[in-house]
Amino acid sequence: YDQAIPIQVTPNLDQCARKGAVLERCYEPSPRTGQSFAAFFTGRTPTNNGVYGITHELPETETTLAEILADAGLYVSRIL
């Protein structure tokens, strides 16, 4: 991997690639992106977090991973 790019322009990503895990069996809670994102960030399935379809939004009452990390003092941002 390191030989493919002679100059390391992404040292943090390179480190993740070297130390990362291989996930051979990954499952998603829904075939749709919105429901899967909501499940990932709440730790709850679409049936339990209220995001049933593509037009549903995450209810304000749901606690997200970002909120937990922010409450712990971490800076939280998003990349779309």
Side-chain angles (χ1 to χ4, degrees):
Y1 176 77
D2 289 333
Q3 295 174 0
I5 302 172
I7 300 173
Q8 285 193 339
V9 293
T10 56
N12 293 328
L13 289 176
D14 295 341
Q15 181 180 6
C16 285
R18 282 191 300 276
K19 294 183 176 184
V22 175
L23 305 175
E24 295 179 354
R25 293 184 182 177
C26 298
Y27 302 94
E28 61 184 49
S30 173
R32 301 213 180 255
T33 304
Q35 290 96 321
S36 292
F37 278 10
F40 177 80
F41 287 112
T42 63
R44 295 163 42 97
T45 63
T47 307
N48 292 318
N49 67 26
V51 183
Y52 302 108
I54 59 174
T55 59
H56 292 91
E57 293 184 9
L58 189 64
E60 292 287 329
T61 56
E62 287 293 325
T63 303
T64 65
L65 176 61
E67 292 169 326
I68 293 169
L69 294 175
D71 289 345
L74 284 100
Y75 177 77
V76 180
S77 185
R78 67 179 180 176
I79 300 173
L80 298 177

